[in-house]
Amino acid sequence: MAKSQSQLRERQRTNLKEPRKYKVIIYNDDFTSMDFVVMVLVQVFLYDEAEANRLMLQVHHSDKAVVGIYTYDIAVSKARKATNWAREKGFPLRLSVEPEDE
């Protein structure tokens, strides 16, 4: 049997770009405890205790804060996880996912 040779051509992709990023925003409310917000920031968004406290105070004073910038799937997953956890604990904590300004 004769061996056949095949030619492979490599494609060059020139139109690759970074996936769009989305920011997760947490909003202030009058019912969710500050301690719970800090716990969410530490457990879900992986902040250390000091940074979580700083962000919690920013939310408290300015009504909202960006708590992370991720690809769409990760942003939605983290926001949903935090919201579900808040509902389990009886808090009306609100988070949203918005496209990052470019």
Side-chain angles (χ1 to χ4, degrees):
M1 215 190 278
K3 286 188 176 181
S4 64
Q5 291 184 350
S6 63
Q7 288 185 331
L8 294 178
R9 264 195 299 171
E10 288 187 37
R11 284 190 200 174
Q12 290 185 356
R13 293 185 180 198
T14 57
N15 59 348
L16 293 179
K17 46 184 187 172
E18 289 274 327
R20 188 167 189 187
K21 299 287 185 162
Y22 292 80
K23 54 188 174 184
V24 178
I25 301 170
I26 190 169
Y27 295 89
N28 188 34
D29 63 66
D30 294 333
F31 303 103
T32 306
S33 71
M34 292 179 175
D35 291 335
F36 183 75
V37 172
V38 170
M39 200 175 350
V40 166
L41 293 171
V42 169
Q43 296 293 319
V44 177
F45 295 96
L46 307 178
Y47 284 101
D48 62 44
E49 195 81 21
E51 185 66 14
N53 276 301
R54 186 193 69 73
L55 266 172
M56 177 272 300
L57 289 173
Q58 180 183 347
V59 170
H60 184 69
H61 293 296
S62 63
D63 292 330
K64 66 181 181 178
V66 175
V67 294
I69 298 174
Y70 309 98
T71 59
Y72 181 77
D73 291 338
I74 294 172
V76 169
S77 175
K78 286 184 177 279
R80 188 174 295 142
K81 182 176 182 178
T83 300
N84 289 342
W85 192 19
R87 297 304 174 272
E88 286 174 11
K89 300 294 183 183
F91 294 117
L93 183 66
R94 186 168 69 100
L95 294 99
S96 68
V97 175
E98 298 177 4
E100 182 183 29
D101 300 331
E102 291 186 26

